[in-house]
Amino acid sequence: MGIRNMTHPNLVLFDVEANNKEQVIQQLISNLYKEGYIDSEQTFLKAVLQREEVSPTGLEKGLAIPHGKSCAVNKAVFAVARLRTPLEEWPSIDPGNRVQLVFLIAIPESEAGTTHLKILSALSTNLMRDGYLEGLMATETPEQFLHLLDVDTTNEPKTEQEFTKTVIAVTACATGIAHTYMAAEALEKAGRELGVKVLVEKQGANGIEDQLSPEVIKKADAVIFATDIAPKQKERFAGKPFVQTRVAEPLRKGKEMIQKALNNPDGVVEGVESAELTTSSSGGGFFREAVQAVMTGISYMIPVIVAAGLMMGIAKLGAMPFGLVNELGDPKYATHSNELFVILHYLDMFGGLIFKFMYPIFAAFVAYSLADRAGLVSGFIGGAFAGGLHYTFWAVEGGIPSGFLGALILGLTAGYVSRFLNQKIQLSKNLQAMKPMLIIPAISVLVIFFLNFYIVDPVFGGLNIVLRNWIESAAGTGDVILAAIIASATAFDLGGPINKAAGAIAIGLAADHVYPLTARVLAIVISPIGIGLATVVDKYIVGRRVFDEDLRIAGNTSLLLGFIAISEGAIPFMLRNPLITIPINIIGAILGSATAVLLGAVQWLPLPAIWGWPMVENLWAYIVGLVVGVSFIALTNIFVRFSILKRKERQA
């Protein structure tokens, strides 16, 4: 498409002075308003800044592409700013990116799903080409700049190139925008340099683009899956040698990816319906495959957490002026004479209902990543067990859901069992339809039932009993020791069975006026606030981002939910890196709670959210403890993850 036709010379600004990205965006928006492309600066600015909160729009090589869709936009258009001084503090996919060229894309609400993504993909693709960005930066007038937008600046011959091999690829990132297209362009470019024909299917935010036909797939010599989430319709690639990698890898190792796919693949795509990716034992395939499955589950789970937290947060904030924050769950408000109280009650309940589906969604897509559609049903059922839905439907009182650990175990089991069945069960052609529709769901769901019934539920039930006895036996050992035990149990699984067991005991002790809830309420908020803060300040502490893009989105949510005492916002971090996150959470909660208790903070009421803090005796001590715990979790996460990144870079 003609990119230059989407802008105007008056919208191209050179030598722009700005101290931060907000100033750049504001200048470009003001220019759009002046030229009549938008009706309201504030309305469109709000849309752009909201988009900035979702994921970084800074890319690589000095480029940033902020964008927004709004009813204030009259026509799809983009404005450009070339900065006099590069900006270092612009969140980017490349941590070392110093932004100097900014494209601000404005999209009418009615075109959000079409023009928006086409412009983004076209810009992303062009900017991967050698000489393109350099040419734009060297122009002296807006007219020259616009002329070069649609000019092919590469020195590649225009004659038809002969290829001896064909490699096909699928690219997909968590948000499905820039990296999806940039990885595709990087692979195609590397293929031309190697004399290998590379055809790429983009599975982006606009669905599947440039879909590979059955004929192309059949003739291909190998396939590359450059994806951060599970690729769709893997069954099409059955029998092909493959390489599985992160979506960002082709940007710096495109040639290596192609050569590996042709000469030393990870394995062969197997199966008829589910087309599993079976890796060789020497490549660490099982661990990498399980990690990708978990990442896929997290990417689908995050919107559920956000939606649930948002509903509950709105309800609680609405109830604050009336002093009803901790009473909203009382059934009497379901039929209250004040209609506002009724709405707030059900909105709070609605958020809790959405949270119930957090684990089913997670486990379903973990299984989907491993077994495609064959694993969805048993994965969803496993997640329902982990969330305790069976206790609700079976009217079992006091049932202990297995939480995120159960979802992890049951989701992975569902995926591997479904895949095994799909590979091993062979039926005649006339009976093939029975396998995915009847046999695999029936057997895999039965396996999940028995695994949960005999192992998962009893194990976590047993842990709950052990924990209860441990905390009760520690009741006379001293304030600090008891605070440490309650805090560690509370922070362990963020709303899971161990957390709830600690809560039941702590509330009981407080009700009998034996021991206050100080450690309990602090431990609830320290973990989500600490991990959320880490995703915000990491670039200031170590000079780069140490969290992946999807976790940065989850971090913003975790930070917000932490202040309203919803610890589940930090669960994606535990699922992604449990061996890092869980110990840090526990130590941080212990340090913060013990500090507050030692300094004399006392909270007898079960009010961990920010509106309960004024009711704490010696609030200053409470705040000091909070700062100690949050700081430890934030800084330790940053330094540990930074160390891991540096080690991986040295090994690369």
Side-chain angles (χ1 to χ4, degrees):
M1 63 181 295
I3 300 173
R4 63 182 297 179
N5 295 328
M6 304 299 297
T7 189
H8 186 275
N10 292 343
L11 298 179
V12 180
L13 306 178
F14 285 177
D15 296 324
V16 173
E17 294 281 4
N19 296 320
N20 53 57
K21 72 173 183 177
E22 288 77 13
Q23 290 183 7
V24 179
I25 292 171
Q26 182 63 70
Q27 288 187 54
L28 290 173
I29 289 177
S30 296
N31 207 26
L32 288 172
Y33 180 74
K34 176 183 175 183
E35 296 296 326
Y37 288 97
I38 60 176
D39 292 330
S40 169
E41 291 187 50
Q42 289 304 315
T43 301
F44 184 55
L45 176 62
K46 181 179 179 181
V48 174
L49 294 181
Q50 285 177 341
R51 171 58 188 83
E52 289 293 308
E53 293 297 320
V54 174
S55 60
T57 53
L59 300 177
E60 299 161 313
K61 301 180 180 179
L63 176 71
I65 311 180
H67 48 281
K69 53 185 178 181
S70 171
C71 59
V73 180
N74 299 320
K75 177 184 177 182
V77 66
F78 67 86
V80 180
R82 200 170 70 188
L83 308 183
R84 183 183 295 274
T85 304
L87 290 177
E88 297 183 5
E89 301 304 326
W90 193 308
S92 304
I93 57 175
D94 176 8
N97 190 35
R98 300 174 73 238
V99 172
Q100 192 167 13
L101 185 61
V102 180
F103 289 82
L104 173 65
I105 303 175
I107 306 296
E109 192 74 42
S110 59
E111 297 183 39
T114 54
T115 308
H116 183 195
L117 295 176
K118 289 178 181 178
I119 296 175
L120 278 174
S121 63
L123 281 174
S124 301
T125 300
N126 284 356
L127 289 160
M128 282 300 298
R129 296 173 180 161
D130 289 340
Y132 187 86
L133 182 58
E134 291 78 3
L136 294 178
M137 294 300 297
T139 56
E140 297 180 356
T141 66
E143 289 74 16
Q144 290 179 350
F145 188 95
L146 295 181
H147 175 72
L148 283 181
L149 279 176
D150 292 311
V151 172
D152 187 353
T153 58
T154 65
N155 295 318
E156 297 168 6
K158 299 300 181 182
T159 56
E160 187 68 25
Q161 188 174 356
E162 292 187 6
F163 299 105
T164 57
K165 296 284 186 178
T166 298
V167 171
I168 54 179
V170 174
T171 60
C173 61
T175 54
I177 302 179
H179 252 147
T180 299
Y181 301 101
M182 298 179 85
E185 178 65 19
L187 286 171
E188 291 171 354
K189 175 185 172 184
R192 289 191 294 269
E193 294 175 0
L194 291 172
V196 177
K197 187 175 185 180
V198 177
L199 301 171
V200 185
E201 174 179 294
K202 279 79 73 176
Q203 297 185 359
N206 219 22
I208 296 179
E209 300 177 48
D210 300 324
Q211 185 164 1
L212 298 166
S213 67
E215 293 76 17
V216 169
I217 295 173
K218 183 177 181 180
K219 294 178 182 179
D221 297 290
V223 58
I224 297 172
F225 296 102
T227 63
D228 283 346
I229 60 176
K232 301 173 184 175
Q233 301 178 16
K234 292 183 295 187
E235 65 272 12
R236 297 172 293 156
F237 306 98
K240 296 294 178 183
F242 81 94
V243 166
Q244 176 70 59
T245 185
R246 300 290 301 274
V247 71
E249 284 299 292
L251 299 180
R252 57 193 185 96
K253 294 184 178 180
K255 291 182 181 179
E256 290 90 330
M257 295 292 102
I258 295 171
Q259 291 170 334
K260 183 178 181 182
L262 292 172
N263 303 317
N264 186 29
D266 291 335
V268 176
V269 183
E270 296 182 355
V272 178
E273 283 120 4
S274 62
E276 320 312 333
L277 306 182
T278 306
T279 59
S280 61
S281 58
S282 61
F286 174 81
F287 177 76
R288 182 175 57 194
E289 183 182 57
V291 169
Q292 187 196 36
V294 172
M295 288 176 63
T296 300
I298 290 172
S299 70
Y300 284 98
M301 180 183 71
I302 287 174
V304 180
I305 294 175
V306 172
L310 213 56
M311 296 304 101
M312 296 179 73
I314 292 171
K316 293 181 185 302
L317 289 173
M320 280 185 65
F322 308 100
L324 302 177
V325 172
N326 297 288
E327 300 177 31
L328 279 179
D330 193 319
K332 70 180 181 181
Y333 291 107
T335 56
H336 200 277
S337 58
N338 189 324
E339 184 68 15
L340 176 61
F341 294 171
V342 175
I343 294 297
L344 293 176
H345 167 78
Y346 279 110
L347 197 58
D348 189 49
M349 296 296 100
F350 180 46
L353 173 66
I354 297 174
F355 264 128
K356 288 289 186 180
F357 290 94
M358 171 176 63
Y359 292 129
I361 293 296
F362 167 76
F365 282 97
V366 167
Y368 170 83
S369 177
L370 296 169
D372 209 85
R373 288 173 295 177
L376 274 173
V377 173
S378 53
F380 187 88
I381 297 301
F385 279 139
L389 290 177
H390 56 310
Y391 295 130
T392 301
F393 289 116
W394 297 345
V396 176
E397 295 185 4
I400 306 163
S402 53
F404 83 94
L405 290 175
L408 194 63
I409 295 166
L410 294 170
L412 289 171
T413 301
Y416 283 116
V417 168
S418 298
R419 187 170 76 179
F420 175 82
L421 294 172
N422 197 38
Q423 291 174 340
K424 300 302 180 182
I425 296 176
Q426 303 296 328
L427 299 175
S428 66
K429 185 176 181 180
N430 294 332
L431 299 176
Q432 276 291 329
M434 292 181 61
K435 187 164 70 168
M437 299 297 292
L438 174 63
I439 298 174
I440 294 177
I443 297 176
S444 60
V445 165
L446 199 60
V447 168
I448 292 301
F449 169 79
F450 283 114
L451 176 64
N452 186 72
F453 191 81
Y454 284 109
I455 298 178
V456 175
D457 271 354
V459 165
F460 286 98
L463 282 174
N464 184 65
I465 294 172
V466 169
L467 178 68
R468 185 180 296 272
N469 293 337
W470 180 40
I471 296 177
E472 288 177 343
S473 65
T477 60
D479 288 351
V480 175
I481 294 177
L482 184 56
I485 293 173
I486 291 175
S488 62
T490 299
F492 176 77
D493 56 355
L494 300 177
I498 296 177
N499 175 297
K500 287 181 170 57
I505 295 169
I507 291 172
L509 293 173
D512 295 335
H513 222 72
V514 173
Y515 190 76
L517 285 165
T518 315
R520 166 70 179 174
V521 294
L522 266 171
I524 289 174
V525 300
I526 282 175
S527 295
I529 294 176
I531 197 73
L533 182 64
T535 65
V536 175
V537 303
D538 55 352
K539 62 180 179 179
Y540 303 108
I541 302 299
V542 295
R544 63 180 294 182
R545 295 287 192 179
V546 300
F547 293 92
D548 291 340
E549 181 178 319
D550 56 335
L551 286 185
R552 292 202 294 273
I553 299 171
N556 292 331
T557 302
S558 179
L559 184 61
L560 173 64
L561 296 183
F563 280 102
I564 60 176
I566 300 175
S567 57
E568 283 84 352
I571 286 177
F573 298 88
M574 299 180 74
L575 289 168
R576 178 75 64 85
N577 304 103
L579 297 180
I580 296 175
T581 308
I582 294 175
I584 293 175
N585 280 352
I586 291 174
I587 297 171
I590 291 174
L591 289 175
S593 300
T595 299
V597 169
L598 280 172
L599 293 176
V602 177
Q603 168 66 298
W604 288 100
L605 302 173
L607 301 174
I610 191 170
W611 45 78
W613 298 357
M615 302 179 190
V616 178
E617 298 176 27
N618 295 321
L619 179 59
W620 67 270
Y622 187 90
I623 297 299
V624 169
L626 178 69
V627 170
V628 168
V630 165
S631 299
F632 174 84
I633 290 176
L635 293 175
T636 306
N637 266 286
I638 291 170
F639 287 121
V640 169
R641 293 167 193 270
F642 178 67
S643 175
I644 292 172
L645 283 176
K646 297 296 288 185
R647 186 174 70 245
K648 288 181 178 178
E649 289 172 356
R650 288 194 298 268
Q651 295 172 350

